[in-house]
Amino acid sequence: MELGLLYEFDVPQPWAGEHPWGQRTEERRVYKENIEQIVLADKVGFEAVWLVEHHFRENRSHMPCNEAVLGALSQITDRIKLGFGVSLMPHEFIHPARIAEKVATVDVLSRGRAIWGMGRSTPMEQIAFGVDIPASKDKMKAAARTVVGMWEQEYYEEDSEYLKFPKRMVTPKPYQYPHPPAWMAAATESSAVMAGENGCGLLCFSIMQPLDKLASIIRTYREAQQNAVPLTGVHTNKVGVYTLVHCAESRDTFATNRVWESMWWWYEGLAKFHLKWEMSHLTDEQKAQAFPLLEAKVRNDFNIERFDQEDMVIAGTPDECLKKFLRWEEIGVDQLLCYLNFGYLPHEAVMKSIELLGTRVLPELQKRGANRLAASLEQQIGETERALGRDQQAA
């Protein structure tokens, strides 16, 4: 299993100061520190970094222009893959030509390290951009086909239900041929089926829910992949999942670095955001059912460490983290996207976590992967030799 990163560039409130300087000061700090963390991850061997595209999400996800940050990273990193996690695809968000240009430019700048994730976002953002929500799935797929056409053809034109585009040369073309691998965001089994049927990699999250639920989504995806008709020119059959991750020499530092408090900040922020923007039409009872832990915490009936005990998040010493990673690998995760910078964690603690994961955990994962590959090859060779032996005896 590979280790990747997921970054949203969270800017936790309250901010130190009133408008206009409180927000600006914190955003400057976050951008500087998060980029330093990603550069270190590149040096210690992480496979990929995925940057979200979100709009208007105060407190979390101050990352609306992932292409700009990925372009900057292309010049200060050497080997880490640069993931759009994701590009919002329905036409109302952006013209498909702009997607083709942005992803290809990052690919050229990084000499072939771009990864293209696609998604539709949620009603909060869709409404602001005037997205036709019922048609958003079809528009996402149509836009993806358009983007690929612009990459593959010297000159591209289209006259379709969603786009009227005159014959033009779209530049630049991607560094990778025919184009960067395509992934699709999904949080439900139905979305996982769509990703699988279209031959795209699966980007999903299982934060704060049991691993067996994630395992079910992955099985559904793999089944859909069996009869995939690739949406793009590259067939991808891989699963990437993100969760909160924190690695330390000792759990004794967890209190000082506010690890559990930061994990609750993440869950509470997620819940309150959805209740305010995505679920305001629900009854109070329905809202309580959607995020039951909020009331449980008020009643002092929930311990955030339960997430850790059930391996829904990954926290602990290098040895503890390794054991947890292996559980995620067992259910079919190909790349675990470590959400390392969340809540109130000090920059130094995040840097130490990246260092420990890269120098103490990642080599063990790679060693186990190499051993499994060797064992599989040995088994295949043995089966081939036995089959040849039977054929010679029959002759």
Side-chain angles (χ1 to χ4, degrees):
M1 184 176 72
E2 301 167 345
L3 291 188
L5 306 166
L6 181 79
Y7 269 80
E8 300 202 44
F9 284 30
D10 298 333
V11 186
Q13 294 172 325
W15 298 323
E18 298 297 326
H19 184 78
W21 292 111
Q23 178 182 351
R24 284 170 165 78
T25 300
E26 285 302 293
E27 286 174 338
R28 292 172 185 179
R29 176 188 62 81
V30 165
Y31 268 73
K32 176 179 180 295
E33 292 180 353
N34 287 6
I35 287 173
E36 288 177 2
Q37 293 162 16
I38 295 167
V39 169
L40 176 60
D42 172 58
K43 292 177 180 176
V44 299
F46 278 75
E47 177 67 17
V49 57
W50 297 83
L51 301 186
V52 303
E53 177 191 339
H54 279 310
H55 305 271
F56 324 123
R57 296 202 175 187
E58 60 190 81
N59 192 48
R60 280 195 50 212
S61 303
H62 289 229
M63 169 65 74
C65 301
N66 51 12
E67 73 276 8
V69 182
L70 292 169
L73 288 170
S74 74
Q75 302 303 293
I76 56 176
T77 59
D78 295 317
R79 53 160 303 280
I80 196 167
K81 293 183 175 64
L82 305 174
F84 288 78
V86 294
S87 294
L88 301 183
M89 298 297 294
H91 299 67
E92 295 89 346
F93 280 120
I94 190 170
H95 194 288
R98 295 293 294 121
I99 297 288
E101 292 165 346
K102 294 195 300 183
V103 176
T105 298
V106 171
D107 203 38
V108 170
L109 287 171
S110 64
R111 297 185 181 181
R113 289 188 278 143
I115 317 170
W116 174 36
M118 64 184 79
R120 297 178 294 133
S121 187
T122 59
M124 185 264 197
E125 291 175 315
Q126 292 169 336
I127 291 170
F129 281 90
V131 173
D132 181 355
I133 296 176
S136 61
K137 283 186 179 181
D138 290 337
K139 286 192 168 187
M140 177 179 70
K141 291 190 288 185
R145 286 189 286 267
T146 298
V147 168
V148 171
M150 290 174 168
W151 285 337
E152 291 180 341
Q153 299 174 29
E154 184 177 12
Y155 291 90
Y156 183 84
E157 61 182 324
E158 180 177 328
D159 185 358
S160 67
E161 179 182 2
Y162 300 129
L163 183 67
K164 311 298 180 185
F165 185 73
K167 187 176 182 178
R168 296 289 187 274
M169 176 183 286
V170 178
T171 64
K173 304 302 186 190
Y175 190 96
Q176 298 174 71
Y177 183 83
H179 62 76
W183 296 61
M184 191 177 290
T188 63
E189 291 199 5
S190 62
S191 297
V193 168
M194 183 168 69
E197 288 177 343
N198 286 282
C200 294
L202 175 65
L203 284 174
C204 65
F205 71 97
S206 163
I207 196 77
M208 315 313 188
Q209 56 186 336
L211 287 189
D212 57 358
K213 183 174 181 179
L214 173 61
S216 175
I217 292 175
I218 293 174
R219 285 194 299 271
T220 300
Y221 168 76
R222 299 294 189 198
E223 290 168 3
Q225 275 277 359
Q226 293 177 9
N227 298 304
V229 178
L231 176 66
T232 75
V234 179
H235 188 171
T236 303
N237 185 1
K238 296 183 73 174
V239 173
V241 182
Y242 85 84
T243 191
L244 304 185
V245 177
H246 185 73
C247 188
E249 291 279 12
S250 168
R251 285 177 175 255
D252 293 342
T253 63
F254 279 20
T256 302
N257 291 329
R258 304 171 72 184
V259 172
W260 304 126
E261 185 181 351
S262 295
M263 286 189 177
W264 179 252
W265 170 88
W266 199 96
Y267 177 84
E268 184 179 39
L270 178 73
K272 289 182 175 179
F273 170 84
H274 279 83
L275 291 172
K276 177 180 179 180
W277 294 106
E278 316 287 10
M279 301 179 177
S280 58
H281 61 287
L282 300 181
T283 66
D284 290 342
E285 183 179 357
Q286 290 172 322
K287 291 177 181 178
Q289 290 175 349
F291 291 99
L293 300 184
L294 289 179
E295 291 188 5
K297 192 76 162 52
V298 171
R299 298 193 308 268
N300 201 28
D301 192 29
F302 177 76
N303 184 349
I304 188 69
E305 294 185 39
R306 183 181 135 203
F307 291 143
D308 171 47
Q309 294 160 1
E310 298 183 15
D311 293 339
M312 290 184 279
V313 298
I314 296 173
T317 65
D319 287 343
E320 290 173 328
C321 287
L322 176 60
K323 291 177 182 177
K324 292 173 181 289
F325 281 132
L326 293 174
R327 280 204 63 196
W328 288 66
E329 185 179 50
E330 286 172 3
I331 64 172
V333 175
D334 298 303
Q335 185 179 128
L336 197 142
L337 283 51
C338 302
Y339 199 123
L340 291 161
N341 193 325
F342 53 92
Y344 313 108
L345 291 175
H347 174 54
E348 295 74 18
V350 178
M351 293 288 278
K352 186 63 177 179
S353 180
I354 292 171
E355 177 191 338
L356 291 172
L357 291 170
T359 59
R360 302 263 295 275
V361 178
L362 189 54
E364 290 299 318
L365 286 173
Q366 292 170 338
K367 187 187 302 180
R368 284 168 167 76
N371 290 341
R372 282 193 297 274
L373 178 60
S376 176
L377 290 173
E378 185 176 353
Q379 180 181 357
Q380 292 176 24
I381 291 170
E383 291 173 353
T384 301
E385 289 176 343
R386 286 191 291 275
L388 289 173
R390 288 193 296 270
D391 290 344
Q392 289 175 353
Q393 289 177 0

